[in-house]
Every structure is written in C-alpha cells, then in structure tokens.
Amino acid sequence: MKKITLLTAACCFFMATAVQAETLKILTWKGYAPQVLIEKFEKDTGIKVEATYSNNEEMIAKLRATRGAGFDLAQPSQDRISSVQEKYKIYQPVDYGKIDAKLFIPSMLDAVKANTRVGDKSYAVPFCWGTSGLIVNSDKAADADDWSALLDPKYKGRISYRLKRPTLIAMGYALGYDPFALYSDAKGYKEMLDKVAEELIRTKPLVKNYWANGDALLESMRSGEVFVAMAWDNGGWKLHDENKAIDFKAPKKGALGWIDTFAIPAKAKNIDAAYKWINFMMAPENAGYFTSQEKVPTASLDANAHVSAEVRANFERSFPKETIDNIKWYPPVPAKLEIMEGKILDKIKAAK
Amino acid sequence: MKSGFRLSFWLFLAPVLLWLFLLIVLPHIDLLLLSFRGENDMGDLVWTFDNYKNFFIEPIYWNTFVRTALYAIVTTFCTFVLALPVSFYIVKLARPRTRGFLTVLLLLPFWVSELVRVYGWMILLRESGVLNYFLLKTGLVQQPVEMLYNDATMIMGLVYTSMLFMVVPLISAMESLDDSLIEAASDLEASRFTILRTIIIPHCKPGITSGAIVVFMLALGNYLTPNLMGGKNSLWFTEQIYNQFIASFNWNQGAAFGFLLLLLSSGIIWIGLKLSRQRLGEVAA
Amino acid sequence: MANDLSVRNLIRSFGDFTAVDNISFDVPQGSFFSILGPSGCGKTTLLRMIAGFDEPSSGTISIRERDMRGVPPNKRPVNLVFQHLALFPMMDVAENIGFGLKRRGMNSAEIARRTETILERVDLPGYGKKQIRQLSGGQKQRVAIARCLVMEPSVLLLDEPLGALDLKLREQMKVELKKLQAKVGTTFIYITHDQSEALVMSDRIAVMNEGHFEQVGSPRELYSDPQTPFVARFVGDNNVWSGEVTESGERLTVRTGEDLLFRTRSHESYEKGSRVDLFLRPEAFRIEPTDSTDLNTFEVDVKTILFDGANSRLLTVMPGGHELLVSLPQNRQFDHIKPGDRILLGWHPDAGLCFKV
C-alpha cells in the first residue's frame, strides 16, 4: 500500500516537472509577447509559452513574494533592476555567453550591462526602448510643447497624467530641476519632490483625471475629452494613425527615455528556454514584426529593414536627431527614493 | 459509538480547519510579523512599532482612513435606504412570478466582473458618454457634463456594487414579517412612515445589521470603484495599502496598514452593534 | 336604537369570482353580531372591507352614519382583532396597547393611565412590562382585544380570534368574550366558522354561504327555525332523510327512501310528488315513547353509544342502512340500552322541517 502511494506521488512529481520543462513562463508587459511570435516560437522549439502581463511595480512585487520563483523570464525596466536586486535578490546574473551579441545594438547592450551591474555581475539585456512625453491634440492645444503644458490653466479640465513616479520626474524638469542629477542627493531630491507636490496640488483643478489604464487614456484623447496628456510615445502614434491632429510630442526639456530588458528570475526553472526566447525575439525579422505591431523600437541591430514604413515615419517625425540627443535616459533608481515618492504621490492624491 | 462519532466529526472538520489555518491564519501571522519589522537608519531590519506609529503621526494616512470609513458609512446608509423599498416590493407586493424575475435582475450585474461593471458605468457617464449624448440630443444641456471622477459618482458606483448584499438579507428578514402586523399597525391609525419606523425596520433589524456589515466591509475594502470612478480626489485606504506594497516596496508599512484596517473596521462594527444594542451572534443566526 | 354599522348592496368580485354577493345588513349599537360560515364563504373579505383593507366593487358601508368609501384603515373608527392576533413582538404589552394612542398624539402619562385601566378591564393588571412571548395563548388574546378596545372604536371586528387556542381555553374564552362585550358595551362583529362560538356569544348571527347571507337572526331562531336547508345543515347537528311528498297540506306527509311515511311541517306547502329533504334534530327523538299518539314512530338498531356526558348520543341504523343520531338524556332512564338492541323511536311532526330540493 505504502509503496503504491509513494510511487504515485513520485510519478506525479516527475510528470509535473516534465510538463514544466516544456513551458516558458514570461512575466512581461502587455504587447511584449505577440501571439504570432509565440506561435512561431512554439513551432520552432516545441516550448510552450505562458505570458503574464504586468508592470514594473507588480513584476517586482510578484517576484519578491516568491523570492524569484514562478517565472523563467521577466522584463523590468533597466533602471528598476540594480537596487531591487541588491535588496531582494530576485534575479540571477545573465550568462552573456548564451546571448547572441551580434543581434544587439552594441552601445545599448553595454549601457544596460553597466546600469544593471551589482557587484561584478550584470543582470539584464536590453529588449526595447521608448520615451514618455506628451500626447497633444493640436486642434485644441497647438502650442503645448513642454511639460509645463500639464500645468497650464488654458487647458483646464483637459489635462491627464498618471500619478506615478515618471510624472514626478517630468514635473521636476518642468520646474527647472534636474531630477536625475538629484538621485544621489536625497535631501535635494526631497526638496524637489515637495515643490512638485505643491505645484501638482495647486493645479489639481486643471486635471481631468489621473489615468491608470493606457487604453482608457487613448479613448479619452480620441473622444476629445483630453487635449494634453503625459504618456508613452507609441500611444500617441497609435492615435495619429486615426486622427492626424493627435500626435506624440517630445517635450522641449527632453522626453524621458526608458529601456525595458530581459532579466532571469533567481529561481527560474527553464533557463535554457529563456535564453532561446531572448535570442528569438532579437532576431531582426521578429524584432521588426514586434516594432511594427507595437510601435516600439527594439535593441535589435538589423530590425529596421523589417519595420513597416509608417512606423518608421512616426519615429522620424517625432524624433529628429536633436530630439533624440535630448532624451533623458532613466539612470538606475537608488533605494529609498521609492518610499519617499510613494508618500508624495499619496499626498497629492489625497489633497482636495 | 461515541468515539466513532468523534472521529468522523474531526475527519469532516479537518479540511475546514486546515483550509482556515493554511490560507487564513498562517499568512496573517506572517503579515503580522512583517508589520512589526522595519529598517533602521543603518538599513538593517529590526523589530519596531514605527509602521503603526506612522499611521497616527502622518496626517495623510489617518485622514485617508477617516475619509474612507466615512464614505463607507455613507455608502452603507444609501444602500440601505435604496434596498429597503426594493426588498419590500419584492417580498410583499410583487407577484410570485415577478419576484423570481426581479431577484434574477438584481443578480444579473454580478455575472460580470466588477471591472466590467465599473467600465460600464464609465461608458455611460463620461463626458462623451451615452448619457451626455442623450442630454445633448434632447437639449437638456448645451455643454456635455463630466459626471465621472467625483465623490457622488463614486458613492453611486459603490452603492450599485453593494445593493445585492443588502437586498438579500433584507428579503429573508422581511419574508418572516407577517403581513397582519403591518395591517394591525395600519388599523391602529399608524401612517406608512410610522409603520416603516416602528414595525418593519425593528423586525428586519438582524437583516439590516448583517447587510450593513457586509456592505460596509465591501465598500471599505473596495479598490476598483473608488480608483476608477472617483478619479483624482479619491484616495481610498486600500489604495494606500496597495501603494505601500507595490509602488513603494514597503511591505512592512503595507502589512501594518492592513492590520490597522482590520482592527479599525472591526471597531466601527463593534460600535455600530453597541449603538443598535445587538450582538454579533444574533445577527449571524 | 341607532345602528353602528350599515351595509347596503355590498358586492366584491375578483375577476369572474364574486366573493361577496349583494349583501345588506345593519348592526345595532352595543350588540354582539356574528357572521358564521364555512371557510371560503366570503366572510373574511366582508370583514376586510369593513376594516378598510379592501375596497368594495359596489355598495356602501357606513359606520355611525358616515360613508366609509375611500377612508383608509388608519382613519376608520373600527379596530380589528386579527386571526393570529398580530401582536407586535418587538414591543412589550404596554407598548402594544399604547401603540394606537401614541399615533393619536396622546401624552405618555395619559397613555400609561389608559393602558393600565384597559389591562385591568381584561384582567391582566400589571402585565404592561411583560414581553409578548412570555404570555400564554389566552393572555395574548386579551392583550390583542385590549389593544383595540383602548382605541374606543365604534365597532370592534374580530376575525376568528379563538381559532388558534386549544379546546378548553376556547370554551373558557367564549364566555369571557361575551362577558367582556357586555361590560364594555362596544359593538362586536365576530366572524367564525365555528357555530358553537357564534351561538354562545352572539345577539344576532348572520349565516353566510357562497357570498350571500342565508339567514340573519338570533341564535334560537337559527337553531329552531332555519329558513334554508343550508342553515339547517350548518347550524347544530341534524338528521336528514330525502323523500317525496305524498300528501300536501298544512302538515306534509313524506315518504322516505326506507318507505316510511312521516308527517312533518314546512315553511311553505309543497305539491304532491315534490322531492324534499327532511331535517330532524337529534334531541327531537323520544326513545321508547310510552304514548305514541301523534308521533311518527319506527324501529332502529343501536350501533354504538357515543358517550359525551350531557351531550351523549346513540348512533343508530335503520333497516335500510341509513344512520341516525339520537340524543341520549343522562337521567339513568336509558342505561339499559346496549349496542345491538332494537329500539322504538318517535318524534312529533312539529319537530321536523322539510325543504324542497
């Protein structure tokens, strides 16, 4: 009797691991694992892909709760890796030998390596990049060209932004600070945050709502309820396809540039599949397909040939050379800033 | 015989106890421990009361809780005021066949997720929404009105979500109310309002209390509705807990807030029971 | 004497069904008036229309000469004691009794005084602070009546209030209710399906059947001189033969199914050959009559003795199998009768009554 039970238990265990060996669990952003590419990957390798959609904060919280288990691959932004890794140890170092370096834009690969270094190990490779800036309805708000438009009484009730840390940083720029320079100066950063909070509370009556869901924001822009919003560039481009008056605008003080990465959770089960997926996604035709779909450029070196013409047109329209040079790239976030920012965000939301 | 009964009793109880222990008690103990941990200036984890102290020292946390609790009470009251005539109609006035239909109608919104329900409201109420379209068409307004993102809309959303949880206990309480009591009161020269105040409400008191507890807890613990419909001024206490856990990575503070929510809401319910001179056991029975 | 209640041509129909069919009657001030009928005869509908919980389809109800059309229940000078009493369980006895007075805006000292007075009146002094669930059935009954009486209604309506009580208590309450009514002098309208309740308590009784009144009269009139076969069957016990008139006149001669010839009376003269039902009360029989002149006589077999003290009967069976109930006076004269005996029965033609079928 006992033997049978043991045997059954053992069988179950092996079957469970066997099934898991054939699956790749990705914790990523919506749109980062297009269905077409998932199917292609499954056909090529026989590995089943399960994607869970999330955002930076929730990705970290999920991995922290399981101490880095439950997923084989995660896609956090590069600035949110090093301090989190130092504290919670939720990732494992990337074995760059298993990465096909030829597929990457070398400068970007090096930058991400440098930015995600903890001790003498690095923890991520770049996947794609983009910026936060303004989405403007130029029929209604033709002269909105900088972050300060979000504080402008002219657009009362027609302004929308997220109540999240990028907004605080954008407002820091709007008020004449250099937030990224203040990262290392906690006291100066706090002063800036207080000033930003004061300004955002003062101008609260101008805001229609704090958007939380990207699709909902696009709908508000589309229906003409919102004229100026802080949002990601690809959202603006999506709207531009439908209505030429609406477009993404990089603010004069510089759009905020982010890079999303591939990072491998500490207790990932199927590491080989994770590397296979990374190399698969960075292959020019796949990366190009992704960019055409989501309007998000990648770190893939030769993907441009596979990107549709209109997406390239979007990019060229919004990002002339000097605008690209003006992009403010997020440096790694030092620990402790988030608690400070959290308090400020609560304060703004609670204020009347 | 007796020991046999005992054994089967424990056998049946075991899964329940196990479930309670593994899924409720154990995580809560973990959270409780977490809530008493914090970083000192050196960045090391130490035992501390700071997380609880923060709640009382920082006016923003305290105010958010008070605000959340007050709105939850207002929601409970509005739900009650709306649910009372609805359940009275269903139990005492509607014909048996209509009764079933009406009950299903009440249940219907719960066949979709809360998120979908809230988005439904948003489509209806937004500036370019359905309601404004008709108001403009009929010439009742000249400019579209923004009906979302204010406290009244948020409370309406919460009331809508909570309605069923008030109506169901009220219906079961009212079913046991003998019609002749209402007629007797009417015969003794009582007006409709007096009958409501002196006969129907006292009779339904256990139902009202259990409904009110559920609605209050649901409103207090709601996250989506205040966040999506309440817009920019509606910091709800649950959102603060979420923010501590997710945005600020401060699990210790979040855990402390969670426990404070548990304690304070239990306290409010206790006060409510004391004021209406009831005991929890009576209500549950 | 003035009438407290006058009902004229009252009709209440529900779709095709007519629950109350053209009823008119008057109830004089201070009397005990009962409406007696089987369940489903429309008596509750009638009562609810008087109380104001239901509206007549046509006809008028006046209380003390005031037309009650459109007057809601809480504005009518009548009060109703409900079948299941409908005492408010969330209030104590005093609050129940004071409920109506409070609605009139009376001050609490006066309410307390009147409550205590009425509790004494119904023999429950000092019961004010008791909870309803602490009372016995009879006490609840009296509280329910007190709660109505304290309102000093023109008419007190009672909807089978003794129905829920056990037999012993019911017998006792009948007498108490009668005494109470005599003491307070309020007009009582009492509806019941129990003929004994109606006969014991009432000054006048209306027998109701299928929406109309069969007969209105004093208990004695109803018992000894029923005007319709329904009343004859429903009020008190009766033996029934069906037969055929063989001889017309002031006294009819009826041939029964057993081929017996009986002389009997009737309210009107029926022609020879008419089919009739002949009714005879159990107490009309004389057992083994010594002098059988003028009596209808015949022999029966005793089947059983139904002993019930003063109300004892013989169950007898005629040769054809027809069963008869015969009163058995407990004066020891008939102690010798045993089941299986053949006995002679006689009855006087004035005691029987026949109706054409």
Side-chain angles (χ1 to χ4, degrees), chain A residues 55-58 60-62 64-66 80 84 87-88 157-158 163-164 204-210 212-213 216 219-220 223 225 336 338-339 341-343 345-352, chain B residues 34 39-41 43 54 58 60-61 64 67 71 119 122 126-129 143-144 146 149 151 226-228 231-236 239-240 242-252 257:
Chain A
N55 59 39
N56 267 328
E57 287 85 5
E58 284 179 7
I60 296 165
K62 276 197 173 105
R64 189 182 158 193
T66 59
R80 307 295 283 272
V84 168
K87 215 163 164 187
Y88 309 125
R158 303 295 168 198
L163 211 52
K164 288 269 148 71
K204 202 167 178 178
L206 308 181
V207 182
K208 183 176 189 71
N209 70 332
Y210 299 130
N213 173 304
E219 180 52 35
S220 302
S223 63
E225 287 177 18
K336 295 246 177 173
E338 272 127 342
I339 289 182
E341 288 163 349
K343 255 184 200 163
L345 292 171
D346 279 349
K347 188 173 158 194
I348 296 167
K349 178 131 195 209
K352 275 287 165 191
Chain B
L34 211 56
E39 279 177 28
N40 64 8
D41 293 338
N54 280 344
E58 282 281 340
I60 165 172
Y61 298 144
T64 307
R67 183 176 179 283
Y71 274 103
Y119 274 115
M122 293 179 77
R126 65 188 304 157
E127 209 179 330
S128 56
Q143 284 290 314
E146 179 58 271
Y149 316 128
D151 291 343
N227 212 1
L228 289 176
K232 51 185 182 175
N233 293 325
S234 66
L235 188 58
W236 212 246
E239 194 184 344
Q240 224 156 29
Y242 174 89
N243 284 345
Q244 289 300 337
F245 269 97
I246 304 297
S248 306
F249 307 135
N250 195 346
W251 286 19
N252 310 92
F257 282 177

